[in-house]
Amino acid sequence: MLYPIALITHLLCACAFIGVVFFEVFILEGMRHHISHSTMVEIETGLVARARQIMPYIVGTLFLSGGYLGYTQFQGMGVLWQDSFSILLSIKILLALSVLGHFVWALTNAKNGCMNSTKFQLTHISVFTHMVLIVILAKGMFYFSW
């Protein structure tokens, strides 16, 4: 009974995280050319402050639920890299760990006052690319689980 709850929690947290990153990459970056640099810096500062308040909980829950789901999947598999499902899951986990590294790096830079506009922009594009690949891998895992 815990598995379906973890799966739904994981999917909802993933939707929230991807939605925030999507907003930052496609909406916020699209605004960059239409507003002044100082206004953009204020928006980014406010966004980072709000993200520091809520995103650690979303990301933490995403990784805890994903860890549980991965543990239950690998527990029944035995040998890694033996089939398409386990290969896709392993790559997805590596990409997720890279996203976690980006997230921790960004929060650390924001806390230390080292997050500038260029770092903000590049980090979000990189995380968005990772997230698109993770979604594609997740869909592939669904296909190979049948």
Side-chain angles (χ1 to χ4, degrees):
M1 184 61 187
L2 187 58
Y3 188 87
I5 293 169
L7 181 62
I8 291 169
T9 301
H10 186 71
L11 291 173
L12 291 173
C13 288
C15 287
F17 186 69
I18 292 169
V20 168
V21 174
F22 180 88
F23 170 80
E24 292 169 347
V25 170
F26 288 101
I27 306 299
L28 194 60
E29 292 304 323
M31 293 172 33
R32 188 175 297 279
H33 304 291
H34 301 287
I35 58 177
S36 69
H37 177 71
S38 61
T39 303
M40 192 66 187
V41 169
E42 288 180 38
I43 291 170
E44 289 172 349
T45 302
L47 188 63
V48 167
R50 183 65 178 145
R52 278 200 326 239
Q53 291 175 340
I54 62 171
M55 291 309 291
Y57 298 106
I58 292 171
V59 172
T61 304
L62 177 65
F63 274 86
L64 286 173
S65 60
Y68 173 77
L69 296 171
Y71 173 75
T72 58
Q73 289 298 319
F74 278 128
Q75 191 176 27
M77 283 185 200
V79 180
L80 297 180
W81 307 100
Q82 70 182 3
D83 61 7
S84 298
F85 183 86
S86 66
I87 291 169
L88 294 177
L89 180 57
S90 298
I91 295 168
K92 184 180 166 198
I93 290 169
L94 290 173
L95 286 169
L97 290 173
S98 177
V99 169
L100 181 61
H102 279 75
F103 183 75
V104 170
W105 179 82
L107 285 180
T108 303
N109 276 323
K111 186 176 181 179
N112 296 335
C114 299
M115 181 59 82
N116 62 32
S117 190
T118 302
K119 286 182 184 178
F120 186 86
Q121 185 178 15
L122 293 175
T123 301
H124 287 96
I125 290 169
S126 178
V127 168
F128 180 76
T129 303
H130 281 69
M131 296 307 297
V132 168
L133 292 172
I134 289 170
V135 168
I136 291 168
L137 290 169
K139 186 61 177 174
M141 288 168 50
F142 177 76
Y143 174 77
F144 286 114
S145 68
W146 288 92

